[in-house]
């Protein structure tokens, strides 16, 4: 697959991420091709199709789809993309590596996925193990109901805070259900009794760990994204806001110890409690 990916990445077609051109994303054999026009996308599809045949691999046409990202509410675009002379199906939302993508470039569908996943995990856990001790329930809750896979990818969404609030409400209600507390009782107190993080600090740690791991990665594929995140995105602003500190973005991601995570823990222990 590496040969196929290299061939496509050298093509002139593609969208710009900051000042870098990007036309392919790949994880194992799951591939996304990116182009600003139907003609450009068809060329990339033809290039990878030829390369796959050359390397004696095969395409899964049934699972191959294309999506048009709308640039306006009323934009209507129609085109035909073919793979092995077979027209591909156009979709308006698609799940890639567990993340929901839609043609409006918002995270509404992905928020529903995360919320529904959490509620299913929690309800299954609670109704099977509600008789267990608090130590056991705390361990199970942290292990099986606190993944929130993909929320770190919403950092640049203008509705990010609304999304997080929706999940935060469900998260804290679930903790209070375990403890037989009222919904209007203190979130701080409930989290302290169960021994888990407040949702605000849980997602802050996840976001920090994710982006630090990416920026510290030595994988050549991530070079363009590391450059974009450091110089073009709003991640520095979000880090300073979430961590409530004035760390420079370079210090944050090059810090080899746990100073930043310790800062989050300090804020959580000392911020004003809401009754």
């Amino acid at each position: 697959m590496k040969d196929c990916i290299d061939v496509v990445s050298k093509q002139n077609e593609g969208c710009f991420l900051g000042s870098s051109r990007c036309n392919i994303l790949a994880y194992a054999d799951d591939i996304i091709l990116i182009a600003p026009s139907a003609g450009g996308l068809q060329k990339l599809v033809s290039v990878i199709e030829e390369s796959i045949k050359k390397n004696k691999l095969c395409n899964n046409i049934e699972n191959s789809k294309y999506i048009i990202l709308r640039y306006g509410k009323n934009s209507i675009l129609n085109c035909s993309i073919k793979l092995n002379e077979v027209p591909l199906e156009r979709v308006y939302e698609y799940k890639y590596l567990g993340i929901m993508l839609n043609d409006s470039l918002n995270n509404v569908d992905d928020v529903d996925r995360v919320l529904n996943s959490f509620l299913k995990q929690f309800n299954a856990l609670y109704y099977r193990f509600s008789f267990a001790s608090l130590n056991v329930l705390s361990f199970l809750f942290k292990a099986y109901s606190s993944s929130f896979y993909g929320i770190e990818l919403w950092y640049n969404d203008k509705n990010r805070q609304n999304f997080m609030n929706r999940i935060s409400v469900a998260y804290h209600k679930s903790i209070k259900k375990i403890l037989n507390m009222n919904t209007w009782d203190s979130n701080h107190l409930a989290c302290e009794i169960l021994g888990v993080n407040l949702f605000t600090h849980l997602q802050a740690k996840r976001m920090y760990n994710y982006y630090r791991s990416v920026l510290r990665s030595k994988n050549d594929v991530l070079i363009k994204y590391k450059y974009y995140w450091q110089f073009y995105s709003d991640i520095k602003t979000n880090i300073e806001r979430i961590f409530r500190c004035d760390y420079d973005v370079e210090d944050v991601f090059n810090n080899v110890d746990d100073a930043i995570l310790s800062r989050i823990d300090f804020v959580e222990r000392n911020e004003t409690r809401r009754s």
Side-chain angles (χ1 to χ4, degrees), residues 87-261:
L88 298 181
E89 177 188 357
R90 177 183 176 181
V91 296
Y92 299 90
E93 62 178 20
Y94 195 75
K95 180 178 284 190
Y96 180 69
L97 300 181
I99 304 298
M100 291 300 300
L101 307 173
N102 63 38
D103 66 338
S104 299
L105 283 177
N106 61 50
N107 292 302
V108 173
D109 296 330
D110 205 40
V111 174
D112 292 336
R113 171 192 64 82
V114 171
L115 189 56
N116 291 335
S117 177
F118 168 74
L119 292 175
K120 288 179 182 178
Q121 292 168 352
F122 170 75
N123 288 328
L125 179 155
Y126 180 76
Y127 287 111
R128 290 184 183 182
F129 301 102
S130 58
F131 60 87
S133 66
L134 279 184
N135 287 337
V136 172
L137 287 172
S138 176
F139 173 81
L140 292 174
F141 184 81
K142 287 187 283 188
Y144 298 105
S145 299
S146 302
S147 65
F148 298 108
Y149 175 72
I151 64 172
E152 56 268 31
L153 301 178
W154 306 341
Y155 78 95
N156 221 20
D157 195 301
K158 63 181 180 180
N159 295 315
R160 178 179 177 278
Q161 193 57 51
N162 292 332
F163 297 158
M164 292 301 181
N165 287 342
R166 283 185 60 193
I167 301 174
S168 177
V169 170
Y171 175 83
H172 291 120
K173 280 186 176 180
S174 299
I175 293 172
K176 293 170 187 176
K177 188 171 184 178
I178 292 175
L179 300 173
N180 292 318
M181 296 175 66
N182 297 312
T183 56
W184 57 82
D185 288 333
S186 169
N187 292 337
H188 291 80
L189 178 60
C191 291
E192 186 173 329
I193 294 174
L194 193 61
V196 297
N197 289 116
L198 284 164
F199 182 76
T200 299
H201 304 290
L202 174 69
Q203 61 94 11
K205 290 180 180 179
R206 284 181 56 85
M207 181 177 173
Y208 167 71
N209 281 325
Y210 173 72
Y211 285 107
R212 186 177 70 165
S213 68
V214 170
L215 292 181
R216 290 170 62 84
S217 172
K218 300 185 183 301
N219 191 326
D220 293 338
V221 177
L222 299 176
I223 289 177
K224 294 179 181 179
Y225 310 108
K226 290 194 286 188
Y227 183 84
Y228 173 75
W229 283 342
Q230 281 190 289
F231 298 103
Y232 287 96
S233 74
D234 294 331
I235 188 169
K236 181 178 185 297
T237 302
N238 281 305
I239 287 172
E240 292 175 348
R241 177 176 54 79
I242 291 175
F243 297 159
R244 304 181 188 179
C245 60
D246 295 322
Y247 284 105
D248 183 76
V249 68
E250 185 174 347
D251 293 334
V252 169
F253 291 114
N254 291 328
N255 198 339
V256 296
D257 58 28
D258 294 327
I260 308 300
L261 297 181

Side-chain angles (χ1 to χ4, degrees), residues 5-13 21 23-24 44:
I5 294 171
D6 289 341
V7 170
V8 174
S9 64
K10 293 176 182 177
Q11 303 299 311
N12 291 326
E13 284 73 19
R21 188 186 300 275
N23 57 17
I24 185 169
L44 294 179

